[in-house]
Amino acid sequence: EAQVTQNPRYLITVTGKKLTVTCSQNMNHEYMSWYRQDPGLGLRQIYYSMNVEVTDKGDVPEGYKVSRKEKRNFPLILESPSPNQTSLYFCASRAQGLGNTIYFGEGSWLTVV
Amino acid sequence: RKEVEQDPGPFNVPEGATVAFNCTYSNSASQSFFWYRQDCRKEPKLLMSVYSSGNEDGRFTAQLNRASQYISLLIRDSKLSDSATYLCAVNDQGSYIPTFGRGTSLIVHP
């Protein structure tokens, strides 16, 4: 089954404690991306990757890091989380080619206290 | 800056009603268009792609108006289960990076 898998799904953490949200896809997709979704603001892109070792900033990259060492994995790293990073996070992937749709993971609810 | 705009709603309609949403985009070079459905606290899921000639899938019809730069989604015979947020997504030519609208909330009541 085609899947984008994120972990953890739910996390409460404290300010400043480094955390990583993992993302893995089994569709051999080149493109992967992280979004955060906040009430009234819609989906905002954090970082994206066009392929292995190729990453770039989205609209709201501050406070986040990513890496793409393997095609299937695209972890999101919060080096020093702050309360304004409390949000719902989605990982997504798609294949190359115009018209190909995006597949989303189930989302990770992150609360920073 | 690329813009994709949607009326946030909510659109509050009775069962059986026909409802339509629009989504405007600012980049005339945009090439591919999609409608996604998002249930509360869940991930967006593809509802349908939008083709130049328009397309229909059961009670759902999507259309593209390139001259006025908008796409539309028409839902006929609304069901309670259609209650959700509908997101439009737009891809520019040569880009793999879609721009999402903020979504339109639909509430179908008995």
Side-chain angles (χ1 to χ4, degrees):
Chain A
E1 180 189 354
Q3 274 188 325
V4 179
T5 303
Q6 301 178 221
N7 279 296
R9 296 285 319 283
Y10 303 92
L11 179 65
I12 301 174
T13 190
V14 296
T15 298
K17 184 177 181 181
K18 180 179 178 179
L19 71 93
T20 298
V21 186
T22 63
C23 174
S24 180
Q25 49 95 2
N26 64 358
M27 296 167 278
N28 201 37
H29 285 169
E30 291 79 14
Y31 171 79
M32 297 186 73
S33 180
W34 276 102
Y35 296 87
R36 62 178 286 174
Q37 188 173 40
D38 303 287
L41 297 178
L43 283 167
R44 294 184 292 168
Q45 191 174 51
I46 303 170
Y47 269 93
Y48 64 94
S49 169
M50 303 297 280
N51 215 322
V52 175
E53 301 291 1
V54 181
T55 63
D56 212 341
K57 295 177 180 178
D59 297 320
V60 288
E62 295 78 20
Y64 304 95
K65 288 186 179 178
V66 292
S67 67
R68 188 89 182 274
K69 293 184 170 54
E70 306 164 281
K71 199 171 188 180
R72 64 182 293 125
N73 296 323
F74 191 44
L76 179 70
I77 303 156
L78 286 73
E79 292 273 3
S80 182
S82 61
N84 65 12
Q85 292 179 298
T86 293
S87 188
L88 173 58
Y89 292 85
F90 289 108
C91 181
S93 75
R94 64 169 284 184
Q96 281 186 352
L98 198 64
N100 283 326
T101 60
I102 283 196
Y103 293 84
F104 286 89
E106 292 182 297
S108 295
W109 286 91
L110 172 64
T111 301
V112 184
V113 298
Chain B
R1 175 177 171 78
K2 294 179 286 186
E3 296 286 345
V4 178
E5 301 286 346
Q6 293 183 256
D7 182 342
F11 285 62
N12 206 319
V13 303
E15 274 186 288
T18 295
V19 62
F21 314 131
N22 284 344
C23 168
T24 60
Y25 59 95
S26 61
N27 188 348
S28 58
S30 296
Q31 284 284 318
S32 37
F33 309 87
F34 308 91
W35 283 103
Y36 284 78
R37 172 191 168 126
Q38 185 176 23
D39 293 297
C40 187
R41 299 170 180 259
K42 301 278 191 181
E43 75 275 23
K45 292 185 178 178
L46 180 69
L47 179 65
M48 56 199 306
S49 302
V50 186
Y51 304 126
S52 295
S53 55
N55 47 302
E56 188 173 310
D57 182 2
R59 298 181 293 108
F60 298 84
T61 300
Q63 291 194 312
L64 168 63
N65 185 318
R66 284 195 183 275
S68 299
Q69 295 184 201
Y70 73 88
I71 61 173
S72 64
L73 178 68
L74 180 78
I75 306 175
R76 289 180 298 278
D77 189 23
S78 298
K79 311 291 185 191
L80 295 177
S81 57
D82 293 333
S83 298
T85 297
Y86 292 84
L87 304 169
C88 63
V90 176
N91 265 84
D92 294 337
Q93 183 177 15
S95 171
Y96 297 114
I97 306 165
T99 300
F100 285 88
R102 296 186 181 185
T104 296
S105 175
L106 172 65
I107 300 170
V108 182
H109 60 80

